[in-house]
Amino acid sequence: MLDEPSIGLHPENIAGLIKIFQNLVAQGNSLVVVDHNLNVLKHADYLIEMGPAAGKNGGLVIAKGTLNQILASADSQIAPFFKKQRTIRAQRSTSNHQKIVINLNQINNIKDAKAEIPLNSLVSVVGVSGSGKTSLILDGLVPGLRHLQDKKRASTICTKIRRSKNETNHFG
C-alpha cells in the first residue's frame, strides 16, 4: 500500500518509481497505489476511480477496470485528462506585475541567487533533488516574509526582499 508516492518527485524520478512498481509486481507482489499522477496511473494494471466529488459527495466507485476500460467509461472523470481533452490547470495571467523579489546569500548550494515570485499566482519551485528548492523557500523566502510581517530581523541568508516595484527591505 502506497499513498501518493509520486508527491514531491521530479518528473524524471517518476520513471524510476514506475520501474520499482513493475519490479515488485514481477516478483509476485500485489501493489495498491493511491496517486494522481497520470504517468503513474497509466502503468496500472487495474484502476478504481472514486468520486464523483470530494467529502459527502464522494465515496462511490465511478469507474473501474483497465486503462482502456476507464478511457471508454462515460462516468470517468479522469479519462478526459488521459485523452488530453482537459488540462489540469489553465495558465493564469500575472499581468499585475507585482511580485516578491528575494536576494539570497550563499546557503547550502545556493550562491547569491535572486528569485522573483509573482503575487496572486500559484508558483512552483522545481528542480532535481538537492538543487536548492527547499533552501530557497525555507531559508530565504519564509524568513524574509516573517521580517516583513513582524519587522523582526530576517535570516542573514535573505539579504533583500521586495513586495512590489517600489518597496524594498534590506537586511544585514
Side-chain angles (χ1 to χ4, degrees):
M1 295 284 298
L2 297 167
D3 190 7
E4 301 190 23
S6 68
I7 294 285
L9 291 181
H10 189 274
E12 290 179 8
N13 299 122
I14 298 295
L17 180 68
I18 293 166
K19 185 72 173 163
I20 291 169
F21 293 167
Q22 291 169 334
N23 288 340
L24 286 168
V25 171
Q27 294 170 11
N29 294 290
S30 296
L31 194 58
V32 177
V33 177
V34 175
D35 215 303
H36 301 278
N37 186 296
L38 293 178
N39 287 328
V40 171
L41 299 177
K42 74 180 180 185
H43 285 89
D45 297 311
Y46 192 84
L47 296 155
I48 300 170
E49 184 177 351
M50 301 298 292
K56 67 180 182 174
N57 297 318
L60 301 173
V61 174
I62 60 172
K64 63 184 180 217
T66 65
L67 180 57
N68 286 335
Q69 290 170 318
I70 295 292
L71 294 175
S73 172
D75 295 326
S76 174
Q77 294 179 359
I78 199 163
F81 294 97
F82 278 115
K83 296 175 184 178
K84 299 190 186 230
Q85 294 169 339
R86 291 187 60 196
T87 57
I88 303 231
R89 284 198 173 84
Q91 187 172 353
R92 294 182 352 168
S93 170
T94 56
S95 60
N96 67 8
H97 301 293
Q98 289 190 324
K99 59 190 162 211
I100 295 171
V101 179
I102 55 176
N103 289 2
L104 303 171
N105 284 333
Q106 185 170 345
I107 178 68
N108 299 327
N109 58 341
I110 293 180
K111 296 158 187 70
D112 299 321
K114 176 182 175 183
E116 297 182 357
I117 301 171
L119 296 177
N120 303 316
S121 300
L122 170 62
V123 177
S124 295
V125 179
V126 299
V128 297
S129 295
S131 63
K133 302 177 299 291
T134 300
S135 295
L136 174 69
I137 300 305
L138 296 183
D139 296 325
L141 178 63
V142 171
L145 290 174
R146 284 189 181 134
H147 173 78
L148 288 175
Q149 182 181 20
D150 302 334
K151 300 299 180 203
K152 294 179 182 173
R153 181 171 175 74
S155 165
T156 57
I157 298 160
C158 182
T159 58
K160 180 171 66 170
I161 190 163
R162 183 174 67 209
R163 276 193 291 209
S164 66
K165 266 186 167 175
N166 302 323
E167 182 179 344
T168 302
N169 288 285
H170 292 274
F171 308 124

